[in-house]
Amino acid sequence: MLLYLARRLLWTILVVLVVMFVTFLVFFKLPNGDPALRFAGKSPTTASLAEIHKRLHLDKPFYVEYGYFVKNFAVGDDQGWPGLGYSYGNYVSVRSEILERAPRTLFLVAGAATLWLIFGVAIGVLSAVKRRTWIDRVAMGFALFGISAPVFWLGLMSLFVVWKKLGLTGGSGYVPLSDGIGAWFSHMILPWTVLALLYIAIYARLTRNNLLETLGEDYIRTARAKGLSERTVIFKHGLRASLSPIATIFGLDIALLVGGAIITESVFNIQGLGWLAFNGAITQDLPSVLGVVICTATAVAVMNLVVDVVYAFLDPRVRYA
Amino acid sequence: MTAAPTTVGGVAPQTVTRSGFELFWLRFKEDRAALLGAGTIGVLIVIAIFGGPIASAVTGHPNTEQYQQIMQDSFGLPKGPTSAFWFGSDGEARDLFVRTMYGARTSLIVGVVASGIAVLIGLVVGMIAGFYRGIVDTILSRTGDVMLAMPQLLISIGIVAACSSNKNGCVIAGPIAIQPGLALVIAVIVIFSWPYIARLVRGFTLSIREKEFVEASRSLGASDTRIIFREILPNLSGPIIVYTTLLIPQSILFEAALSYLGLGVPPDTASWGGLLNDAQRYYDTAWWLMFFPGLFLVITTLAFNLLGDGLRDALDVRAER
């Protein structure tokens, strides 16, 4: 188990480093124009530019700068550990920027994930059990719509209909929890639903297919032959086995949304990590982008480990040696 | 279970030999949803080719003509549908109906071209990795893994933003440069789609190369090239058709998402995502601006998904693990 963990950890660190390096390369090498110009004030002099170049290590080749970045990250900077540097945009520490925005994204993702896990699996099971009935057809039709409809369209339409016309929820923008749980909830319910819809569709299709496949296995026939009730057969024998692949993508999907919910955060003006990264990307603010990428990559690594543990719980055949 | 073949009145049951295509067609023509998808795609192709010019001719409103006098109110807000402007006007007071029709062209070109290139690259890489295995496979597959671990939307935003800031685009290496606009969007989609196809193709190739007919061909002295092109490639046609069909709506949505974020095709080029970007500015008033382009977007992706699902069932394609 320990050896397994160590190997997993090493591979994860390697992937994170490569992902960071490619991100670095894209945002460092591609943009035209000197980021130092943004710090140098209205009338930059050659001397002040050189001074900024030196401070940001922009005078060195990119791999040296990448080395500085990794070193800062590992050892920490004047803001403490982990060192993420300062935004090129406003010279605010990236670390404080991320800490401020992370709760918004975490609330968004946690709420949406709860919704899509419950409804996705429930619809999938219902569809599989009622296979080839009208219930199945309606559910799968809905799922197909869910994977076809873009989040930004659903978001805009739901804002217009539910908030503007019906006045049932809060509009766009983020209301912190400290302003009252009611206001917070009424501003979060639309983003949760809209973000969850795509995943409900994916999970419903996946659950249905997996469950149908599992229900065709020999041990299910054995369970039925033993005289177990249909409920026990489906939930204890069938569903448990078909949930393993779902656990895998569930962990990964959640992790990727940390910093990846760019569209949802943009439609509902939530200004979380995805928004920070998006803003960084269009203004070529490398440190902000890297900060969010690191958050996402870390989330992916952690969730992968969690998924492995859950796997062993769901599937008794899995043992780690 | 193993009943002897029943003969009725002494006549042996007739067995009809059917070609692969006949079998496919027998199954496919019963699938009403898939036929609906195929029909819709046919209509969309016609719209993409002739829809824009015809809409312009019928309404008398050129694609990029602005109608500030008639179609903007005193605050500069766009006006809704009228008898002359069937879908209302967009943010720049252009005829939304005409823009939406022209948008079909952008979406289909991006969807088909990007998917085509991605499938071609994925096919080559996947076949090489699956056929030669060993170190080649390891390198190609790990590269694909890292590509799939990237924060795709974020890196795409970064590339598009960096390459659009300058008329000449960005230079990748020597004379190879990506110009801003449609080509850039297609390039970004291809970068992140081919690993997905390559992984699938590799899986299929791995299993096909162990089949008896490949062994037979090899024992007859066939070269690697001949085996790849004459034995393996034809057997990949089913999966390729299915996954290309399913990749097209993904590519269309990706273009729409980039355009929605204001980074896709240039503003003068009509694009459904770009129109939705407009809608974002007037989301609490101009419902037509989000409704019509989004509706066409959903119908398009839905049609391709319906067709893809139908093809998968009819061609009996299942992902290899």
Side-chain angles (χ1 to χ4, degrees), chain B residues 96-146:
Chain B
L96 186 61
F97 174 63
V98 175
R99 301 288 289 168
T100 307
M101 292 296 118
Y102 271 106
R105 197 176 279 186
T106 309
S107 278
L108 286 193
I109 288 177
V110 171
V112 172
V113 174
S115 304
I117 299 174
V119 166
L120 213 60
I121 298 176
L123 192 60
V124 172
V125 173
M127 283 208 301
I128 292 175
F131 187 79
Y132 290 105
R133 299 190 292 189
I135 183 82
V136 185
D137 181 21
T138 309
I139 294 172
L140 290 176
S141 297
R142 288 293 158 268
T143 311
D145 283 355
V146 171

Side-chain angles (χ1 to χ4, degrees), chain A residues 252-273:
Chain A
L252 200 64
D253 282 341
I254 290 184
L256 286 177
L257 281 177
V258 175
I262 296 176
I263 305 246
T264 312
E265 289 186 7
S266 153
V267 173
F268 293 100
N269 193 20
I270 291 179
Q271 308 206 344
L273 292 180

Side-chain angles (χ1 to χ4, degrees), chain A residues 223-244:
Chain A
R224 286 209 175 105
K226 281 195 301 191
L228 295 181
S229 70
E230 192 60 20
R231 177 184 293 261
T232 318
V233 171
I234 285 173
F235 285 98
K236 283 201 108 164
H237 294 246
L239 191 57
R240 188 164 153 180
S242 35
L243 276 184
S244 306

Side-chain angles (χ1 to χ4, degrees), chain B residues 5 19-20 27 33 36 64 66 90 145 151 155 160 172 174 181 190 241 299:
Chain B
S19 70
R27 271 177 282 190
L36 180 71
T64 50
Q66 301 184 354
D90 74 357
D145 283 355
I155 302 266
V160 176
I172 302 298
V190 169
I241 292 171
I299 289 174

Side-chain angles (χ1 to χ4, degrees), chain A residues 11 18 22 27 32 144 148 150 152-153 156-157 160 163-164 172 205 213 263 266-267 277-278 281 284 293, chain B residues 142 146 150 154 157-158 165-166 256-257 260 276 280 283-284 287 290-291 294 297-298 301-302 305-306 309 318:
Chain A
W11 171 242
V18 173
V22 174
F27 288 91
N32 310 292
L144 203 66
S148 303
F152 43 93
W153 185 59
L156 290 175
M157 293 295 287
F160 182 78
W163 167 65
K164 180 75 184 176
S172 75
R205 281 166 66 113
E213 203 164 302
I263 305 246
S266 153
V267 173
F278 171 61
Q284 287 147 30
V293 168
Chain B
R142 288 293 158 268
V146 171
M150 293 285 167
L154 187 59
I157 292 167
S165 62
N166 184 314
Y260 167 74
L276 285 164
Q280 163 96 336
Y283 73 96
D284 52 354
W287 60 269
M290 55 181 103
F291 181 74
L297 194 53
V298 173
T301 50
L302 204 56
N305 281 328
L306 278 174
D309 280 2
R318 307 197 119 247

Side-chain angles (χ1 to χ4, degrees), chain A residues 8-295:
Chain A
R8 276 298 298 269
L9 213 63
L10 271 180
W11 171 242
T12 309
I13 292 175
L14 189 73
V15 170
V16 171
L17 278 178
V18 173
V19 169
M20 269 164 60
F21 184 72
V22 174
T23 313
F24 193 87
L25 206 62
V26 166
F27 288 91
F28 189 84
K29 289 294 270 188
L30 280 187
N32 310 292
D34 187 351
L37 278 174
R38 248 167 285 161
F39 295 119
K42 283 212 174 110
S43 45
T45 61
T46 326
S48 66
L49 276 179
E51 146 72 21
I52 293 162
H53 273 171
K54 211 165 148 56
R55 195 174 65 210
L56 295 174
H57 309 298
L58 291 175
D59 49 347
K60 310 258 179 11
F62 75 92
Y63 48 87
V64 176
E65 200 192 344
Y66 180 66
Y68 275 116
F69 183 82
V70 174
K71 185 189 142 216
N72 248 351
F73 176 69
V75 182
D77 57 12
D78 52 351
Q79 291 280 315
W81 190 89
L84 293 174
Y86 294 88
S87 158
Y88 286 175
N90 49 11
Y91 219 67
V92 172
S93 128
V94 171
R95 197 161 160 274
S96 66
E97 191 79 37
I98 283 177
L99 285 179
E100 189 198 320
R101 310 217 170 263
R104 304 169 174 215
T105 297
L106 293 181
F107 281 134
L108 172 68
V109 175
T114 313
L115 282 181
W116 88 58
L117 188 63
I118 293 173
F119 285 100
V121 172
I123 292 174
V125 171
L126 192 69
S127 216
V129 173
K130 304 272 178 198
R131 190 186 184 186
R132 291 180 204 281
T133 64
W134 66 270
I135 298 178
D136 182 23
R137 265 184 228 120
V138 170
M140 286 305 107
F142 160 78
L144 203 66
F145 174 77
I147 58 169
S148 303
V151 166
F152 43 93
W153 185 59
L154 290 175
L156 290 175
M157 293 295 287
S158 69
L159 266 180
F160 182 78
V161 175
V162 182
W163 167 65
K164 180 75 184 176
K165 287 291 156 194
L166 303 175
L168 293 177
T169 64
S172 75
Y174 177 77
V175 175
L177 254 181
S178 52
D179 286 11
I181 194 158
W184 171 79
F185 186 82
S186 106
H187 277 83
M188 288 306 276
I189 186 81
L190 275 186
W192 282 339
T193 317
V194 168
L195 178 57
L197 200 68
L198 167 70
Y199 292 94
I200 291 177
I202 297 174
Y203 282 50
R205 281 166 66 113
L206 197 67
T207 309
R208 178 179 181 274
N209 289 349
N210 285 340
L211 190 55
L212 283 178
E213 203 164 302
T214 316
L215 289 180
E217 300 241 0
D218 286 346
Y219 75 93
I220 296 291
R221 203 169 51 193
T222 310
R224 286 209 175 105
K226 281 195 301 191
L228 295 181
S229 70
E230 192 60 20
R231 177 184 293 261
T232 318
V233 171
I234 285 173
F235 285 98
K236 283 201 108 164
H237 294 246
L239 191 57
R240 188 164 153 180
S242 35
L243 276 184
S244 306
I246 296 191
T248 318
I249 67 160
F250 185 60
L252 200 64
D253 282 341
I254 290 184
L256 286 177
L257 281 177
V258 175
I262 296 176
I263 305 246
T264 312
E265 289 186 7
S266 153
V267 173
F268 293 100
N269 193 20
I270 291 179
Q271 308 206 344
L273 292 180
W275 179 87
L276 183 67
F278 171 61
N279 222 28
I282 52 173
T283 56
Q284 287 147 30
D285 178 5
L286 176 64
S288 298
V289 172
L290 276 176
V292 177
V293 168
I294 288 169
C295 288

Side-chain angles (χ1 to χ4, degrees), chain B residues 16 19-20 43 52 62 80 89 111 146 157 173 192 234 239 247 275 296 304:
Chain B
V16 187
S19 70
V43 174
S89 80
V146 171
I157 292 167
F192 289 112
L247 189 60
L275 292 168
F296 274 83
F304 276 103

